[in-house]
Amino acid sequence: MTLLHLGLGIAGIACVAIPIIIHLLFRRKRKPIMWGAMRFVIEAYRKQRRRLTLEQLLLLAARCLVVLLLALAIARPILERAGALGGGSARTVYLLVDNGLASTVTDESGQSALERHKNAARQIIASLGASDRVGLVTLGAPASATVVPASTDLAAVRQLVDDIDATDAAMDLNGALDRLRAELGSEDEDAGSGAVVAILSDFLTGSADAGAPLPPVFGELSEVRVLAPRPRQSAPGNVQVVDVTPLRSVVVTGETGGNGRAPQTVRVALRRTGAAVAQPDATTVQARAVSGRAGVVWPATETVVRWAPGQSEATTSMIVDMGAAATSATESGSSVAIEATIDRDAVIGDNIRRAPVTVRESLRVGIIARRRFGAAPSVDRLDPADWLRLALDPTRSAAVEPISIDPASIDAPSLSAVSAVFVIRPDLVDGSGWDRLGRFVEGGGLVVVFPPTEPTVHLWPDEMARAFGLSWRLAREASEFEAPITLAADQPLSLALAHIREELKDLAGPVRVFKTLAIDGEATGASELVRLADGSAWIIAGGVEPRVKEDSAARVNQPSDQDSQQGAEPGASARLQAESRGLVVYVASAPTLSWTNLPAKPLMVPLMQELLRQGVGSAQGGWTTRAGAFPTAPSRSAELLPTAETGANLESILIDAGGRAETAARLAGLYRAVDGSGAARGLVAVNADADAGRTDVQAEATIQAWLATSGASAGSIEWIDDESEASRGLASIADEERSPVSFPLLLAALVVALMETVMARFFSHAITSSPSRRRLFSRLRAPGVSA
């Protein structure tokens, strides 16, 4: 339609010359023939020549103006886009540019999808007029409202488009539409009247989750149109590292016997997406320990994963030497992470994944029980605390250091000195003591609770549930079995006991349980670690409900400044920060021979060791965050600093007093958490969002149905066949919304045509009412003068 109007406009303007040509042709010289009365006509013509010439020029100008106005009326779309007509209303265009992880996919020419999106955005900006406005939102989660509301400074917006970089996060179209909802629907500005929202994306599965509905923005704004490229129908395959799990989450370097320096087992999970799934292939995987310090590199372990046609997921176990890395971390006060990498492919961001590992010279364990004075008792007189000390430190090494804590004197200094607490006498802990234990768990601590042997009626579980925010409850009285019960032959698959899984069946065989303080009902929110033969849970573990402070509660209910600035869903920051930390483990039998023979069996030592070591790691968390989220940091952290190894494009992230990150991390990398004095608190890994790197294509009908959930009807979506011609899509929308011709110009042409008719009639010899014309005709009709 644009080319048609352009051609008609040029042809119409050229037709202006037609009246001039006709005028010149009628003025061509003719051979004069003199006759007698001619001198009177010539004399009258000479007297009226000036006026007649003016009349002819006026008529010629009017006829040319009619043709010109008709041509301009037909060429209205061209003139309005050039800003030559003031009658066209200013347009508002919002550019939503996908710079998520999937936008880094490259084509055969080596050009990334993000570069195509940016080129399309530049074309759209170039097609806008001086009075038009343009806004810019980048969609890498959380969506960032770079230019909102829209601006008339097109050059500045174009520069911002040039500066867009890819992120390792998912496309956050929901957040962008939520941000535009308020802007397009605002009453202060007419932003939503005839506005165009251009969504520039390939709509691969990594960018568009067609199963998640969009906010119904366009249903409320019927005049808003959507401009989008057709979903990409071919994309290269992609192999991702989706998970890295060290089976030993805590490395203790102070152990004798070399266990702290022994190689560690690491499980690496891979996934294939896109066209590569149908083909056989092989992927090289490397895993190594890293500290984040520049120039410090430890040897990597390498293996090859072979893919069968149609296989999309694979898991491999690798042995990583943590000895030198852990020792170096202890000596330098730094931390260690496991890093897994694969071959370079179409999406680079998800070819690497990191998992921090807790490194300790020793583990200090608080045992809450009555203190025993005097010489060590004989075996037959060992109480639960004695049995527990033997299991935690069987060789008297420096790896585990049990510390006695009196139940009546539980205080913050005592808890700050330990990594875990084993509560042997919960019945002697008062309400304030449980509150301190609750804060200890919230800070990333491990608490293991055993039932006491003395009371017949147990009231302490109520205080424990209140302090830890547990949803599961314990029985009031202990249950004694008529016949000793064994442990189940098939135990739950738990990462906490992964290191002894192979030996667990043999070790559990001799164990007998005589008495338990059972879980009352279903243990909601807890996972079973060890199960009895009757199917009941014997050892369970669960995280605590995070306590939200007053300022945090306000964040949940009200959009924060960072939510508003970045276009995130209101309160998203608080919800991301509300991840539970800490771990509570409950063992249903007291560690004494009157309740179970476990203390005297070989399973006691490895079971308590694994509960301690894996529990400490699980309680503190892996300190890993996906790109696009607000990172969580170790307690008392004030700032996250990019490590020298990965910090080229990363910026530091401030942590507020509540432990919340002030900004989201959109790029993957390794951060060093420090406190206010600059002392290291640990490592925090931000990994690429694995789901954002999926390169499976989606049908146009699927994406259209997905966009329809936002209220955009099929008729309101203008598809771009080629992003290199994005401006044509915008022009097509503009032409559909406007009349193909300018009615004011048509009206002006009609008025000028009427004026030309009147002037032609008035200037012709058919009208003789004026005195001058009467004199002229009277002379011509005088005696002796013949017409």
Side-chain angles (χ1 to χ4, degrees):
M1 191 171 183
T2 300
L3 292 177
L4 175 62
H5 281 278
L6 178 61
L8 290 176
I10 295 174
I13 294 174
C15 289
V16 174
I18 295 177
I20 301 175
I21 294 173
I22 294 174
H23 175 75
L24 294 176
L25 289 176
F26 274 90
R27 291 190 58 187
R28 67 179 184 270
K29 296 294 184 179
R30 292 182 175 85
K31 183 178 180 181
I33 300 176
M34 300 301 295
W35 53 295
M38 192 65 185
R39 65 186 184 89
F40 299 105
V41 177
I42 292 175
E43 181 181 355
Y45 170 73
R46 286 174 178 170
K47 291 181 179 181
Q48 303 295 327
R49 181 171 59 182
R50 274 188 163 183
R51 187 175 62 80
L52 293 176
T53 301
L54 179 60
E55 290 175 354
Q56 291 176 354
L57 292 177
L58 289 176
L59 288 173
L60 178 62
R63 291 162 183 165
C64 292
L65 185 58
V66 169
V67 177
L68 179 61
L69 289 174
L70 288 174
L72 294 179
I74 295 175
R76 170 188 174 179
I78 301 299
L79 298 175
E80 284 192 353
R81 279 194 292 276
L85 292 180
S89 60
R91 290 175 294 175
T92 300
V93 179
Y94 282 98
L95 302 173
L96 277 55
V97 181
D98 179 9
N99 64 330
L101 181 61
S103 70
T104 61
V105 174
T106 55
D107 55 20
E108 296 78 6
S109 64
Q111 184 184 41
S112 68
L114 178 58
E115 280 303 318
R116 284 190 284 103
H117 304 334
K118 290 166 65 173
N119 288 337
R122 295 185 190 103
Q123 284 192 25
I124 292 175
I125 294 175
S127 68
L128 297 177
S131 61
D132 294 333
R133 299 182 300 173
V134 62
L136 178 63
V137 180
T138 55
L139 299 181
S144 176
T146 307
V147 182
V148 174
S151 171
T152 56
D153 191 347
L154 305 184
V157 178
R158 179 191 169 92
Q159 182 60 48
L160 292 173
V161 170
D162 294 339
D163 296 338
I164 295 176
D165 293 320
T167 69
D168 295 313
M171 182 178 80
D172 182 22
L173 185 56
N174 292 61
L177 295 182
D178 274 334
R179 181 64 181 86
L180 290 183
R181 185 207 305 262
E183 183 61 32
L184 294 174
S186 64
E187 296 179 357
D188 297 334
E189 299 184 44
D190 193 23
S193 178
V196 176
V197 176
I199 306 173
L200 304 177
S201 173
D202 281 348
F203 298 108
L204 301 176
T205 52
S207 295
D209 183 2
L214 297 170
V217 175
F218 301 121
E220 306 166 4
L221 304 167
S222 58
E223 296 183 355
V224 176
R225 299 291 299 275
V226 177
L227 180 67
R230 296 190 185 277
R232 187 171 179 177
Q233 294 306 304
S234 62
N238 180 36
V239 181
Q240 309 170 291
V241 184
V242 296
D243 188 38
V244 176
T245 305
L247 294 189
R248 175 71 74 189
S249 56
V250 175
V251 176
V252 182
T253 60
E255 289 181 304
T256 58
N259 189 40
R261 296 175 174 81
Q264 302 296 322
T265 302
V266 178
R267 186 176 302 158
V268 181
L270 307 180
R271 180 171 63 192
R272 291 199 302 174
T273 65
V277 176
Q279 304 297 326
D281 203 353
T283 301
T284 302
V285 185
Q286 290 187 337
R288 64 187 178 108
V290 295
S291 68
R293 291 184 294 153
V296 180
V297 179
W298 287 284
T301 301
E302 184 175 301
T303 188
V304 176
V305 174
R306 303 195 180 278
W307 302 92
Q311 182 183 1
S312 60
E313 296 181 352
T315 301
T316 183
S317 294
M318 308 176 67
I319 303 298
V320 176
D321 184 6
M322 295 288 295
T327 302
S328 175
T330 303
E331 294 173 351
S332 62
S334 61
S335 300
V336 177
I338 299 294
E339 180 181 88
T341 58
I342 59 174
D343 303 323
R344 187 185 182 97
D345 57 11
V347 180
I348 302 175
D350 55 13
N351 291 343
I352 185 170
R353 202 168 189 87
R354 304 176 180 91
V357 176
T358 301
V359 178
R360 298 287 177 84
E361 186 173 2
S362 65
L363 291 177
R364 305 186 73 187
V365 183
I367 298 179
I368 298 179
R370 284 176 175 167
R371 295 179 184 270
R372 179 190 292 275
F373 300 96
S378 59
V379 174
D380 59 334
R381 302 191 62 181
L382 292 176
D383 64 12
D386 295 327
W387 285 112
L388 193 57
R389 288 188 183 92
L390 289 174
L392 293 176
D393 190 16
T395 61
R396 296 293 190 269
S397 68
V400 178
E401 182 182 354
I403 299 174
S404 295
I405 300 177
D406 191 89
S409 59
I410 300 174
D411 54 21
S414 299
L415 296 178
S416 64
V418 298
S419 301
V421 173
F422 282 64
V423 184
I424 303 298
R425 291 301 303 269
D427 56 312
L428 300 181
V429 180
D430 58 16
S432 61
W434 282 115
D435 289 336
R436 294 187 183 97
L437 287 174
R439 288 190 288 271
F440 171 75
V441 173
E442 287 179 1
L446 166 67
V447 172
V448 182
V449 181
F450 297 86
T453 58
E454 282 77 2
T456 56
V457 178
H458 298 265
L459 301 178
W460 57 269
D462 295 337
E463 285 294 323
M464 181 185 73
R466 177 193 60 79
F468 296 147
L470 301 176
S471 57
W472 34 276
R473 297 291 183 265
L474 303 181
R476 292 293 186 188
E477 297 182 0
S479 301
E480 189 168 356
F481 301 104
E482 294 182 1
I485 190 170
T486 61
L487 302 186
D490 295 324
Q491 293 295 331
L493 296 178
S494 169
L495 184 61
L497 302 179
H499 267 269
I500 61 172
R501 183 175 301 160
E502 298 298 329
E503 301 86 4
L504 185 57
K505 186 174 182 179
D506 294 333
L507 293 174
V511 176
R512 298 294 182 268
V513 178
F514 315 118
K515 197 174 183 179
T516 64
L517 185 65
I519 294 95
D520 189 8
E522 185 178 355
T524 306
S527 59
E528 288 187 355
L529 302 185
V530 179
R531 184 184 301 141
L532 296 178
D534 63 358
S536 61
W538 194 44
I539 303 178
I540 62 174
V544 299
E545 289 292 332
R547 298 181 184 180
V548 183
K549 300 179 181 179
E550 292 182 2
D551 60 336
S552 299
R555 280 173 74 111
V556 173
N557 296 321
Q558 300 176 1
S560 65
D561 291 340
Q562 79 183 11
D563 292 332
S564 300
Q565 292 170 3
Q566 297 169 345
E569 182 182 355
S573 312
R575 284 194 296 277
L576 286 170
Q577 293 300 335
E579 298 177 358
S580 61
R581 292 284 174 183
L583 187 67
V584 177
V585 177
Y586 175 68
V587 182
S589 296
T592 182
L593 297 178
S594 62
W595 286 59
T596 175
N597 66 351
L598 173 67
K601 298 303 177 181
L603 178 61
M604 179 65 174
V605 172
L607 179 61
M608 293 300 113
Q609 290 287 332
E610 291 305 304
L611 288 179
L612 171 63
R613 297 165 188 269
Q614 298 295 79
V616 168
S618 299
Q620 294 184 347
W623 305 119
T624 59
T625 305
R626 60 175 173 78
F630 292 79
T632 53
S635 61
R636 299 191 295 278
S637 297
E639 189 175 9
L640 298 180
L641 302 176
T643 60
E645 187 179 11
T646 63
N649 299 318
L650 304 180
E651 297 181 355
S652 60
I653 300 175
L654 296 177
I655 307 296
D656 63 19
R660 298 182 297 267
E662 296 186 358
T663 56
R666 293 182 172 89
L667 295 176
L670 197 61
Y671 292 83
R672 185 167 58 92
V674 298
D675 59 18
S677 64
R681 301 296 303 164
L683 288 178
V684 176
V686 178
N687 292 312
D689 190 334
D691 289 336
R694 299 179 67 98
T695 58
D696 304 291
V697 298
Q698 302 190 82
E700 181 179 320
T702 302
I703 297 302
Q704 183 164 308
W706 180 58
L707 293 177
T709 62
S710 68
S713 62
S716 66
I717 301 176
E718 180 71 23
W719 293 107
I720 305 172
D721 293 323
D722 188 347
E723 277 190 284
S724 62
E725 299 178 353
S727 58
R728 291 189 181 183
L730 182 63
S732 178
I733 290 178
D735 292 346
E736 290 178 10
E737 294 177 346
R738 290 189 291 248
S739 171
V741 296
S742 174
F743 288 103
L745 290 178
L746 282 179
L747 182 61
L750 179 60
V751 171
V752 174
L754 292 175
M755 292 175 58
E756 189 275 339
T757 302
V758 172
M759 287 190 299
R761 182 72 176 173
F762 182 78
F763 295 156
S764 67
H765 296 289
I767 299 178
T768 60
S769 57
S770 65
S772 60
R773 290 188 181 279
R774 285 197 299 269
R775 287 194 298 271
L776 174 61
F777 279 95
S778 64
R779 289 178 182 175
L780 293 175
R781 292 169 182 167
V785 179
S786 173

